[in-house]
Amino acid sequence: MSVAELKERHIAATATVNALRERLKQRRQALLDTDVAGYARSHGKTAICFGSTDLVCCRTLQGHTGKVYSLDWTLERNRIVSASQDGRLIVWNALTSQKTHAIKLHCAWVMTCAFAPNGQSVACGGLDSACSIFNLNSQVDRDGNIPISRILTGHKGYVSSCQFVPDQETRLITSSGDQTCVLWDVTTGQRISVFGGEFPSGHTTDVLSVSINSSNSNMFVSGSCDATARLWDTRIASRAVRTYHGHEGDVNAVKFFPDGQRFGTGSNDGTCRLFDMRTGHQLQIYSQQHGNNDNDVPIATSIAFSISGRLLFAGYSNGDCYAWDTLVAEVVLNLGSLQNSHEGRISCLGLSADGSALCTGSWDKNLKIWMETVVLKLMVERMAFH
Amino acid sequence: MEAAAAAGSEAPPPPAPRSPPGYPDLCGRHRLQVEVQILNWEIGFLGEELESLEGLQSVSGYCKEVNEYVGSHADPLVPLTKKRRKSCRIWRWLWAKLCFNMSWICCFCGCPCPQRRPICTCRHVKNCCCRCRHCGCPNKNCWKASCCRPCCSLRSLSCPECSCGCVWSCSKFTETCSCLKCSSTCCMSRCLCE
């Protein structure tokens, strides 16, 4: 086929793609009879009322000497691992704020960390384009450092996010600046599957975040600088199951809704959104009015749902941490305005496994734990009793 | 000699580099082929997605599912219901009257010390502090709940505001170690605040 013919085909195919996308957009618009907030209001729902002292910062975890970039809770025993610009991972006891481990990394440019389901190992990754696994029970080396137990190499770009598969101690998923996500076997260090890259329907630029469906660990969603989120089935690496359009900027954060049928996203366009996993519908936009200048819109850097899904916590680049009432799409609390709040960008956040505590990490080098006052009192009483 | 001069004037021109032959722009052609292939895949995916929308219920059906799920699950981060909060409002008003300028009798932050006072939710929370009669944080300005002096049963807790970068798991850790920077129990040799 000649170059001229190829160019003609290219033009025709581009026109077909654009026409199909427009038809898809119109078809989805026709099905958009309401959104979550519209439905909730029509059924008498009102926003949750937070008093100024209902949610308090009960712990400040100090110790990092650089910006905190990532954090993760254990499934039990209330421990947190955090990763920082200071090139360390720190494992904290969230109840007592004591540090149980401090791991000095070979590559200081870490971007993400995660706890293994059994809480015995942690993983981290960053600009070294690799994911390092540390066993917390290992003997320390001569310098007092925990040695790497496994290093997962193969990405051709930075590792932006990592998460262990919930019910499988030996599987881990990473996202990368090389436009792919990878499913790894941690015991052998081998790549099991690569999602995207050479295969069609993959992300077209850096992938920034992943979230694995806790209800069905074969499914995970990724967020990318190409302004889309994509759903993947770990058993079918050749193509994405679905692509979710709507955001107008990088999708920095993705997190599944507790029911496993929906997921939330946070983006550079300043909005968070709720998508239906199975149908691709955009169910709700969580957005606040800002000035006309686009540069004023703070970036949504991180998100997490409360255990019931009623609250969506979103951290922003200006230090705000909004608690959105997901049903009525209103901000019901700004942790950034509370006493003892962070003094810098919120870079990461996460809920404890039982949903009773929120941990936020910030560029102010600290992590903070937030709890509802009554629950906190009950917990303290229980601790005092024992 | 003249013949030689004549022969020299007819000598072939000195060698000069030749332009390479005009090869076809293979890179551009290959790139176009790949792009067309990607576009054809995209056409297929979009077609499948359009088909999948046929027979789908409208968004309200899925919004209903979200509402039902949220309504059927308890949430420890969501404060008490409005109904209960009304009765608490009277209680808090009463406490506010009692607690005015008497913050020493109330402990908002829930000090773990058994000597702690009743919980105060009054508006003077800033004046409330974790200062039971026998316990208190070594940092006099601290009002956090988790601090406790050795007299209390939970003396192993350290004040979060004073927490240094000390590592619990260090092999040199002992109960008697203390950080140079703060008075927290820690392992000096691994203190990150140094």
Side-chain angles (χ1 to χ4, degrees), chain A residues 77-129:
Chain A
R77 289 167 60 191
N78 289 323
R79 287 180 298 146
I80 295 171
V81 62
S82 59
S84 164
Q85 186 190 40
D86 61 14
R88 294 175 196 268
L89 298 183
I90 295 181
V91 179
W92 313 79
N93 180 319
L95 293 177
T96 63
S97 74
Q98 291 281 4
K99 302 165 195 58
T100 61
H101 300 82
I103 303 172
K104 195 166 186 305
L105 302 172
H106 293 287
C107 173
W109 305 104
V110 63
M111 296 174 71
T112 181
C113 60
F115 249 118
N118 63 7
Q120 303 303 309
S121 299
V122 292
C124 68
L127 293 185
D128 59 352
S129 304

Side-chain angles (χ1 to χ4, degrees), chain A residues 1-3 6-7 9-10 13-14 16-17 20-21 23-24 27-28 31-36 39-40 45-51 53-60 62-63 65 88 90 92 95-102 143-145 198-201 239 242-243 257-259 261-262 274 276 278-279 281-283 306-311 313 326-327 339-340 351 354-358 368 370-377 380-381 383-384, chain B residues 24-26 28-80 82 84-85 89 92 107-114 116 119-123 125-126 143-147 153-154 156-171 173 184-186 190 192-193:
Chain A
M1 196 179 298
S2 68
V3 171
L6 276 172
K7 282 184 179 173
R9 287 205 175 189
H10 191 282
T14 304
T16 305
V17 163
L20 283 171
R21 282 187 180 152
R23 268 179 63 191
L24 202 53
R27 185 74 188 94
R28 285 205 180 276
L31 292 171
L32 194 64
D33 55 339
T34 186
D35 58 11
V36 171
Y39 179 91
K45 280 279 195 304
T46 54
I48 293 170
C49 182
F50 266 99
T53 56
D54 281 332
L55 207 64
V56 294
C57 172
C58 58
R59 293 285 185 277
T60 296
Q62 291 178 307
T65 55
R88 294 175 196 268
I90 295 181
W92 313 79
L95 293 177
T96 63
S97 74
Q98 291 281 4
K99 302 165 195 58
T100 61
H101 300 82
D143 299 322
N145 292 320
E198 293 173 358
F199 295 109
S201 75
R239 56 168 291 184
R242 190 173 296 284
T243 301
F257 194 73
D259 70 353
Q261 300 298 326
R262 269 120 322 231
L274 184 68
D276 186 273
R278 298 156 299 175
T279 61
H281 288 320
Q282 181 178 282
L283 302 182
S306 66
I307 201 168
S308 71
R310 183 66 192 259
L311 296 171
F313 293 98
T326 54
L327 294 186
Q339 200 165 23
N340 205 23
L351 269 287
D354 63 359
S356 64
L358 168 75
K368 289 182 184 285
W370 309 80
M371 291 184 75
E372 199 274 329
T373 311
V374 172
V375 172
L376 173 61
K377 287 175 210 166
V380 168
E381 283 169 6
M383 284 169 63
Chain B
D25 181 13
L26 288 177
R29 186 170 183 276
H30 177 69
R31 190 178 63 240
L32 265 177
Q33 271 181 326
V34 168
E35 284 177 10
V36 168
Q37 189 173 35
I38 291 172
L39 285 168
N40 285 335
W41 281 329
E42 184 70 14
I43 289 168
F45 297 145
L46 288 169
E48 286 174 12
E49 192 169 343
L50 266 172
E51 278 180 29
S52 72
L53 289 184
E54 298 300 324
L56 269 190
Q57 61 174 326
S58 56
V59 169
S60 54
Y62 306 102
C63 296
K64 183 181 175 205
E65 288 179 6
V66 172
N67 270 264
E68 285 174 354
Y69 182 90
V70 170
S72 62
H73 287 78
D75 197 321
L77 285 176
V78 173
L80 298 173
K82 281 185 181 174
R84 289 182 63 183
R85 286 176 63 80
R89 217 175 282 157
R92 278 188 278 130
C107 180
F108 157 75
C109 42
C111 173
C113 176
R116 70 183 170 88
I119 298 299
C120 172
T121 57
C122 71
R123 59 189 170 88
V125 63
K126 280 188 182 176
W143 57 276
K144 296 299 186 299
S146 61
C147 59
S153 59
L154 293 174
S156 59
L157 294 178
S158 66
C159 173
E161 284 300 300
C162 302
S163 174
C164 64
C166 300
V167 178
W168 183 270
S169 62
C170 172
S171 58
F173 172 80
S184 306
T185 304
C186 68
R190 296 292 295 163
L192 295 178
C193 63

Side-chain angles (χ1 to χ4, degrees), chain A residues 91-223:
Chain A
V91 179
W92 313 79
N93 180 319
L95 293 177
T96 63
S97 74
Q98 291 281 4
K99 302 165 195 58
T100 61
H101 300 82
I103 303 172
K104 195 166 186 305
L105 302 172
H106 293 287
C107 173
W109 305 104
V110 63
M111 296 174 71
T112 181
C113 60
F115 249 118
N118 63 7
Q120 303 303 309
S121 299
V122 292
C124 68
L127 293 185
D128 59 352
S129 304
C131 190
S132 303
I133 314 291
F134 297 88
N135 186 326
L136 298 178
N137 300 319
S138 298
Q139 289 287 331
V140 297
D141 60 22
R142 282 183 301 180
D143 299 322
N145 292 320
I146 295 179
I148 293 180
S149 61
R150 179 72 64 193
I151 186 159
L152 310 176
T153 55
H155 273 302
K156 295 171 191 157
Y158 62 88
V159 174
S160 52
S161 180
C162 63
Q163 186 181 350
F164 279 87
V165 179
D167 47 6
Q168 298 176 42
E169 297 291 337
T170 59
R171 301 275 174 104
L172 175 132
I173 294 179
T174 52
S175 64
S176 172
D178 67 7
Q179 306 177 16
T180 70
C181 298
V182 172
L183 172 67
W184 303 85
D185 183 328
V186 173
T187 48
T188 60
Q190 298 298 312
R191 284 180 292 187
I192 299 172
S193 298
V194 178
F195 305 93
E198 293 173 358
F199 295 109
S201 75
H203 285 294
T204 54
T205 183
D206 303 24
V207 189
L208 300 178
S209 53
V210 288
S211 176
I212 302 174
N213 189 338
S214 54
S215 303
N216 176 1
S217 60
N218 289 317
M219 310 300 291
F220 72 93
V221 68
S222 57

